[in-house]
Amino acid sequence: KSSMEVIIPVEEGPRYRVGAIDVEMVDGEWLVEKATLQKKLNLKKGDWFDYSAMASDSSNLASTYRDRGYANANVSTDHKVDPETLTFGVTFKIQKGDPVYIRRIEIRGNKDTRDKVVRRELKISEGDLYSGEKIRRSQRRVMALGFFEPPTGAGDSGGVQIDTRKTGDPKLIDLVVTVKEKQTGTFQIGAGFSSYESFLLTAQISKENIFGRGQTLSAQLTLSGIRQLGSISFFEPYLLDSQVTFALDLFNFNEAFNDFNRLRQGGNISLGYRLTDDLSFSLTYTLESVQAE
């Protein structure tokens, strides 16, 4: 008796098609036209019935109202099965509840990163009407900073998680933003040899999120038989906590050619402004001095 065999008999039964589909509002006004909601449904009359599609439709309908401030919106389903016509009718019943507002936003897990670095990426603020879509955008924007652990696979939100927390008032809710920081500094060094430049040494150091302020500082140095190149760069994504970006680059290049030496020194300053999440513009001023001997 060291093993046993388990047999699970399965009877598929007849296959059903989707019957009549309807959407009902259980409480209050529709806010979204019934015809608009019906267009969001994946289930179509006459198609083979798919339970996962029905569950997805319920979730999509609930999200439509949660994006409009009804955080407690719920969608249940009533079924009408006809064994004679082999149809499966579905009625989606929407309970949207009361509108919910954000009472407080709490940032957790940020040992080095300052709260404001995370908060300024959020598309929802304290006092705003709840919006599932804004919360999802906020999660993506905070993740895009690059200061937190990346997702490890499908369904993983990575090092940024935004959860809701109930309060004593059903019309108020808290948001808890939990982050998991990662190492944001890099250091690289290399060496080589070529017949043209003789020896070659390179070194590069970069640090993002300096002092937890969201700024980036990097430096690079290259030495060879004919070149000495050095540069340093600084980037501030929110100058004085505004939508203005600031970048500063300084460089010193010394190159030895067969007939002359060339020294280039200078830098550039860039100022930019965010128009939207995906659109910005910038102006750059460059000052450079070139000497040939």
Side-chain angles (χ1 to χ4, degrees), residues 70-185:
Y70 294 83
N72 299 317
N74 180 62
V75 177
S76 59
T77 57
D78 277 352
H79 310 145
K80 185 177 181 181
V81 182
D82 191 336
E84 294 184 0
T85 60
L86 296 180
T87 57
F88 193 102
V90 181
T91 299
F92 295 92
K93 294 191 173 184
I94 303 173
Q95 293 176 291
K96 67 178 187 298
D98 295 321
V100 178
Y101 292 84
I102 305 301
R103 185 187 71 168
R104 181 184 178 190
I105 299 177
E106 181 179 341
I107 314 296
R108 293 181 176 179
N110 51 324
K111 299 178 181 179
D112 299 321
T113 306
R114 302 193 179 196
D115 272 22
K116 73 173 185 178
V117 173
V118 176
R119 288 182 182 274
R120 66 193 182 191
E121 301 298 330
L122 302 180
K123 303 304 293 183
I124 193 167
S125 304
E126 294 170 345
D128 287 355
L129 196 63
Y130 178 93
S131 172
E133 191 275 335
K134 288 185 178 180
I135 291 176
R136 291 189 293 272
R137 287 176 57 195
S138 298
Q139 193 272 342
R140 291 193 297 266
R141 284 175 56 87
V142 176
M143 195 71 234
L145 289 172
F147 305 153
F148 309 109
E149 293 289 345
T152 57
D156 181 19
S157 59
V160 180
Q161 182 71 40
I162 302 181
D163 300 307
T164 58
R165 182 176 62 195
K166 293 183 178 180
T167 66
D169 188 341
K171 295 183 179 180
L172 295 175
I173 200 170
D174 291 342
L175 292 183
V176 180
V177 183
T178 305
V179 298
K180 185 178 180 181
E181 295 175 329
K182 69 174 185 178
Q183 294 294 330
T184 56

Side-chain angles (χ1 to χ4, degrees), residues 271-286:
L271 292 175
Y273 187 82
R274 293 182 181 85
L275 300 176
T276 67
D277 290 350
D278 304 313
L279 180 63
S280 64
F281 75 91
S282 62
L283 297 174
T284 301
Y285 176 78
T286 302

